[in-house]
Amino acid sequence: MTRRPPPWLAALLVTLLVAGCGQSAAPSQAWHGGRIFLATGNTTGVYYQLGGGYADVISRHLPGYEARAEPTGASVENVSRLASGDMEIAFSLADTAADAVNGQGAFVGQPQPVRALARVYSNYTHVIVRADAKVKDFAGLRGKRVSTGSPKSGTDIIAGRLLTAAGMDPDRDVDRFTLSLPETVKRMRAGTLDAMFFSGGLPTPGIADLLSSAPGRFTLLPIADLIEPLNARYGSVYTTAELPKEAYRTPAGTPTITVSNMILVNADMPDELAYDLTRLLFAYQGDLIGVHPEAGNFTRQSASGTDPIPLHPGAARFYQGG
């Protein structure tokens, strides 16, 4: 999935253009020619909104750089494109990022050279069912038409893990569809899906649109009781929390599974650039909160807790006050 020339070619073209204009200026020292692409997620998700806000902050406040948020299939795709050099920054769920650095899961036998700038807000796992599908609990998903999210997304991974933790085969015991959030919402409304998974911040625009457009037609399932078999099988990256009723104006809160989000970069990013990108997250956090309230749900102390994903040395220097 190529969307621009490789960085070395872009830099060479800039140099040749400068020379052709008869100027004696040295080639730009900006990494990757000053172009920063952010791998985000579905266009109706929080990654895409916050990624757009972060790109704007970078473009306005980091001299020599222009940034742009790119819609993607989210976590697994993001990490793969980051490691290949196709993207400079990526949003990812912590479980996917941990698999990447350890060479497990979707990256089995192939550890990825990624590092963290920050641990940010937590994603809440939404399991939504159509009221007319008569699904009363998680076990009731057996045999139903279920969207587990975009292929190569963190949602797809956690959905598969939850189904497995509940004693179901994700590819045999449900009629599984791997669809983007916009397509999933469309099919839930049309009645061609019985249930859906989505892992996202609060509120996720696409979910808010679905639930507000048809009050009473859709229900959030409680799934917090799956935490023990989930962590026993996949490690302790998952936690529980109540998805508050205020998020989508539901009658009550919903106990669910949460996982933190990471902002990742390639290990070969220059230390000074990684430092500056981390600094901007906090210097202009108010601007990011204006884009989406989840940007207010991390602090300098919490952001540095990225284990088991190593911090980039430039980010580590920022947190150490260097």
Side-chain angles (χ1 to χ4, degrees), residues 160-178:
R161 290 180 174 184
L162 284 166
L163 289 164
T164 301
M168 287 183 267
D169 183 322
D171 296 311
R172 294 176 181 271
D173 292 329
V174 299
D175 189 5
R176 186 177 190 174
F177 296 81
T178 51

Side-chain angles (χ1 to χ4, degrees), residues 41-50 121 181-182 198 200-201 203-206 292:
N42 292 173
T43 55
T44 56
V46 177
Y47 278 0
Y48 187 69
Q49 286 196 325
L50 272 184
Y121 66 96
L181 180 56
F198 192 76
T204 292
H292 195 283

